Amino acid sequence: MLNTSLSSIMLENINIKPGEYLPTYFYRLKEYADFFAPKEFLSLFQLSSPRLIGETMPRWAVKFAVEAYGRKRFEDVLTDNMVGKYWQGFISRDVLNAHVKTQLNDKATGRVLFDAEKLLMPYHSLKYCSKCHDEEVRAKGFAIWKADHQAMTAFICHQHNTALRQRLVSEFNGFEYSGDFFDKSFFSTPHITLFHRWLDWETKLLMRRGVEYQREQVELHKRVFMESSFYSHSPSKASVTLNKQWQSALQRYFTVLFPNLQRFAEVTANNNAFKASAMMAENGSIHPLMFLLFKFFYMHEYRP
């Protein structure tokens, strides 16, 4: 736990709100302490300069949350403020615990929680609902960025049924230079298709029904697809057909969901880490974005 008087005063007076996204809460703390130079502010929390905010569990965020709230409350922060309710059921508890331990080490490792997560980093966006923002500013003088809105397959604010405005987190350059990044005038509203709405609805179910539901979904859909497609992990005509259809579909999905990054869609779709065999592997993790895309593919598009 942090024990410096200044950091304790800040955490007690500017406390994290239920459902507030942790990286943007940290930015709110920084704005409150604008009498500090950025490096001095970061040193209060024993952090070097954070460069990532879109990763599932960035090292700096894990260290800050554990130091600020202790290991016991960290579990709640992980679920409520680090979008854990979206992804925790897609990773084993042992893998999660080992990753937290790794992130708390003194040396940075560059490791990520999910297999191939680094390949998805360019597609992450920070998102907010303009109506939520305006209502919160009127009610309490400031607005929070909601953690639920930050799931990769969340596109709609369900309170207002409006599209979330977004900005790619690849444009984030660290908290020392982050003022412009959080400027909402730089955010844009995507064109929402029926495909976006299907993914958003499935995302809502994943988060509302919890970890055990997520685990059951992964197990169920892997088993059903294997049985219905006659696919095996051994080389075969069926596997060639499946991978060809899947990679074509995946390129199209990325183009629709992330039109500003369509130049990367083909390279991403053809990466070995996203082959059908990786989606259905018994061991290893599958990111919820990839799980939902593959689920849509085999339910609506796959032709044996």
Side-chain angles (χ1 to χ4, degrees):
M1 294 286 286
L2 298 171
N3 55 15
T4 65
S5 58
L6 283 172
S7 60
S8 297
I9 289 171
M10 276 193 280
L11 291 171
E12 289 171 6
N13 285 273
I14 308 297
N15 55 343
I16 194 167
K17 303 300 181 186
E20 182 175 13
Y21 188 42
L22 182 71
T24 51
Y25 164 66
F26 191 77
Y27 174 70
R28 190 157 65 86
L29 272 181
K30 175 184 166 296
E31 291 295 284
Y32 176 73
D34 60 358
F35 49 89
F36 278 111
K39 287 187 177 180
E40 292 175 348
F41 169 77
L42 292 169
S43 70
L44 288 175
F45 300 98
Q46 302 167 24
L47 297 174
S48 56
S49 176
R51 294 294 177 189
L52 295 175
I53 61 173
E55 187 182 317
T56 303
M57 290 181 66
R59 180 171 178 265
W60 74 266
V62 173
K63 293 188 72 172
F64 169 73
V66 170
E67 291 293 330
Y69 306 112
R71 286 301 296 264
K72 188 173 182 180
R73 193 183 167 195
F74 172 71
E75 299 295 326
D76 294 331
V77 172
L78 190 67
T79 299
D80 196 43
N81 306 104
M82 295 175 69
V83 207
K85 65 177 72 172
Y86 172 61
W87 53 258
Q88 280 179 294
F90 292 85
I91 202 85
S92 75
R93 191 70 205 179
D94 288 344
V95 171
L96 177 58
N97 289 339
H99 187 72
V100 171
K101 184 177 180 180
T102 298
Q103 296 295 67
L104 291 175
N105 287 338
D106 290 335
K107 294 182 179 180
T109 65
R111 293 181 180 176
V112 289
L113 182 60
F114 284 94
D115 295 340
E117 185 177 348
K118 286 187 177 181
L119 298 173
L120 298 177
M121 281 298 297
Y123 300 96
H124 277 270
S125 291
L126 183 66
K127 293 172 274 192
Y128 80 99
C129 167
S130 57
K131 291 186 177 180
C132 286
H133 173 271
D134 293 344
E135 289 174 2
E136 289 174 349
V137 169
R138 285 195 297 268
K140 53 192 177 189
F142 67 93
I144 68 168
W145 303 70
K146 295 181 178 179
D148 285 0
H149 289 167
Q150 310 314 318
M152 280 197 77
T153 46
F155 301 101
I156 307 291
C157 171
H158 292 282
Q159 181 179 345
H160 298 102
N161 195 32
T162 56
L164 299 174
R165 291 175 59 77
Q166 56 186 253
R167 184 176 186 181
L168 292 171
V169 298
S170 57
E171 298 175 18
F172 177 77
N173 294 313
F175 284 102
E176 306 102 305
Y177 319 102
S178 58
D180 285 348
F181 179 77
F182 295 95
D183 184 336
K184 294 180 176 65
S185 65
F186 289 101
F187 285 62
S188 60
T189 305
H191 171 65
I192 300 297
T193 66
L194 186 60
F195 186 43
H196 288 83
R197 291 190 176 274
W198 183 88
L199 288 168
D200 188 88
W201 175 254
E202 290 288 326
T203 301
K204 182 179 178 181
L205 290 180
L206 291 177
M207 293 198 287
R208 285 190 174 182
R209 296 187 178 179
V211 170
E212 290 309 312
Y213 171 78
Q214 293 169 11
R215 297 195 196 287
E216 291 168 1
Q217 284 285 293
V218 173
E219 182 180 350
L220 170 67
H221 287 289
K222 283 185 178 182
R223 186 179 71 250
V224 169
F225 185 80
M226 292 288 285
E227 292 173 354
S228 63
S229 67
F230 304 102
Y231 174 83
S232 71
H233 292 294
S234 302
S236 66
K237 184 177 179 180
S239 63
V240 171
T241 300
L242 171 61
N243 274 309
K244 185 175 181 180
Q245 289 186 32
W246 163 237
Q247 289 176 329
S248 175
L250 185 58
Q251 179 178 343
R252 183 163 21 89
Y253 298 160
F254 273 101
T255 299
V256 171
L257 295 175
F258 312 105
N260 293 336
L261 296 171
Q262 57 183 297
R263 64 189 184 280
F264 301 120
E266 182 177 0
V267 174
T268 303
N270 286 286
N271 193 291
N272 286 336
F274 295 137
K275 278 190 171 182
S277 56
M279 299 301 100
M280 296 184 292
E282 293 184 11
N283 299 318
S285 60
I286 179 171
H287 192 283
L289 167 68
M290 300 308 298
F291 169 76
L292 290 178
L293 293 181
F294 194 74
K295 177 181 175 180
F296 183 88
F297 163 73
Y298 88 71
M299 286 178 62
H300 300 290
E301 294 199 38
Y302 176 59
R303 298 293 180 266

